[in-house]
């Protein structure tokens, strides 16, 4: 029995072994009709046996009433029909009993054995009855010896074959429907599981996307705004002494602000493009599709952003911006320059950018060395600064720090399978090193 059948049975509340009330009503009705038939046929049986008529009626009622058990014990019903066959009663009991047996879940060998017994009993009774009718018939000499076997076989086949075949068809159809129902329920469970997994994957992708965009926004805002604050502080210091330099610093602040706004707009556009969240009330197929679409949108946004991000060719410009802010920076490039994947170039650029931003925040005025090495299977970068000339100069610009810069660099490098190391040097400075595979 399938789960659906059990739920339906509990909801219907059929009496005793019946799954539904209408099944009980049908079986009781068939039993009443069969009992009436057997009661009528029990009267001539009682006369032939020399018994009172009421005995034959009671025997017929009890025999026909066995049909009420056809769903619970079909074997017993068929055996009762076979047992009363010599009494020439229970035709309906035989037909309905064979149908119920063939439609049940009984093994084929049991069905075949009981059907054979019923056929043999009906055949014997038909032969005897045909011979008796022939003896009392005046047309005995007008027919040949084939009449009795023909009548007996035809009657036996007519009683046993149709209900047996029809019952087998109904049973096979019922089993097919149950199999299809179970397969449908199994498919729904699999779809629900797939929907849950796809939703988890989409949620993970959205979390990764949020982390990546937060890291990008931190890099853009921290670097650009830090330079803007440094230039603003310098502008304040030289506004009266050197108006020409003040104008130059003001122009740089404007350029950096515009660059920061442009990059922020690009990232906000990615956030809006990847807004695909599955509905809670969706059916499994729609939930799988919506969750997969969300994961695909997050992955696609990450690829598009990586392709449109900065590259190592812009490293010289990055260093010049720091020099314009008053930092003494030396850039050294080792090895043959070549193009890498968008993710590798963007990560290498962001590591150098964040390291320079940290120098502006924590070691203003310190001399800084930026080294980039192109190797056979990897690219390495290092940003090292000396101790600041004046310890208090680090906080002169009053730049806030969220403490996420080093964490973001480590996540970027680790996501590409690279190595990231950061720490203080022996002379009091700070060094950031990263190595990225380029395979």
């Amino acid at each position: 029995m399938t789960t659906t059948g059990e739920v339906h049975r509990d909801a219907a509340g059929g009496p005793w072994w019946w799954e539904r009330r209408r099944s009980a009503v049908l079986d009781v009705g068939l039993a009443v009709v069969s009992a009436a038939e057997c009661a009528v046929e029990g009267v001539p049986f009682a006369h032939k046996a020399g018994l009172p008529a009421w005995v034959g009626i009671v025997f017929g009622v009890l025999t026909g009433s066995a049909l009420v058990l056809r769903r619970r014990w079909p074997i017993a019903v068929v055996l009762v029909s076979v047992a009363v066959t010599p009494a020439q009663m229970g035709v309906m009991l035989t037909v309905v009993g064979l149908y119920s047996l063939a439609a049940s879940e009984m093994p084929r060998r049991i069905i075949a054995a009981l059907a054979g017994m019923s056929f043999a009993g009906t055949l014997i009774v038909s032969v005897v009855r045909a011979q008796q009718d022939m003896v009392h018939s005046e047309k005995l000499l007008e027919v040949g010896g084939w009449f009795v076997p023909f009548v007996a076989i035809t009657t036996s086949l007519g009683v046993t074959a149709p209900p047996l075949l029809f019952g087998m068809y109904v049973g096979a159809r019922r089993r097919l429907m149950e199999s299809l129902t179970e397969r449908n329920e199994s498919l729904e469970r699999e779809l629900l599981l797939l929907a849950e997994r796809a939703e988890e994957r989409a949620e993970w992708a959205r979390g990764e996307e949020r982390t990546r965009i937060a890291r990008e926004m931190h890099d853009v805002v921290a670097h650009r705004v830090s330079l803007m604050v440094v230039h603003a502080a310098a502008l304040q210091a030289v506004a009266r002494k050197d108006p020409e330099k003040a104008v130059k610093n003001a122009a740089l602040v404007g350029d950096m602000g515009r660059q920061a706004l442009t990059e922020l707009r690009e990232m906000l556009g990615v956030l809006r493009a990847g807004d695909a969240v599955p509905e809670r009330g969706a059916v499994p197929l729609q939930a799988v599709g919506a969750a997969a679409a969300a994961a695909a949108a997050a992955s696609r946004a990450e690829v598009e952003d990586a392709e449109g991000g900065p590259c190592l060719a812009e490293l010289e410009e990055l260093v010049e911006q720091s020099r314009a802010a008053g930092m003494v920076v030396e850039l050294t490039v080792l090895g043959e320059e070549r193009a890498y994947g968008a993710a590798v170039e963007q990560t290498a650029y962001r590591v150098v950018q964040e390291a320079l931003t940290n120098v502006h925040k924590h070691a203003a005025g310190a001399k800084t060395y930026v080294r980039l090495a192109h190797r056979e299977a990897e690219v390495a970068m290092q940003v090292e600064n000396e101790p600041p000339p004046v310890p208090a100069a680090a906080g002169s610009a009053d730049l806030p720090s969220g403490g996420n810069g080093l964490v973001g660099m480590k996540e970027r490098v680790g996501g590409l399978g690279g190595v990231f190391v950061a720490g203080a040097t022996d002379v009091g400075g700070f060094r950031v090193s990263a190595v990225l595979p380029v395979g």
Side-chain angles (χ1 to χ4, degrees), residues 255-307:
D255 291 340
M256 291 177 185
R258 282 187 290 272
Q259 291 176 4
L261 286 175
T262 301
E263 294 188 14
L264 285 175
R265 287 194 189 98
E266 291 177 356
M267 280 182 288
L268 290 176
V270 171
L271 280 175
R272 292 181 181 275
D275 188 13
V277 182
E279 298 179 0
R280 292 294 180 183
V283 297
L285 281 175
Q286 294 175 346
V288 172
S299 301
R300 183 170 59 253
E302 182 175 0
V303 172
E304 291 175 354
D305 186 74
E307 292 177 351

Side-chain angles (χ1 to χ4, degrees), residues 193-204 278 287-289 291-292 295:
L193 182 60
L194 287 175
E196 292 175 359
R197 290 181 178 177
E199 187 174 354
E200 291 175 359
R201 182 168 175 262
E203 186 64 29
W204 172 83
V288 172

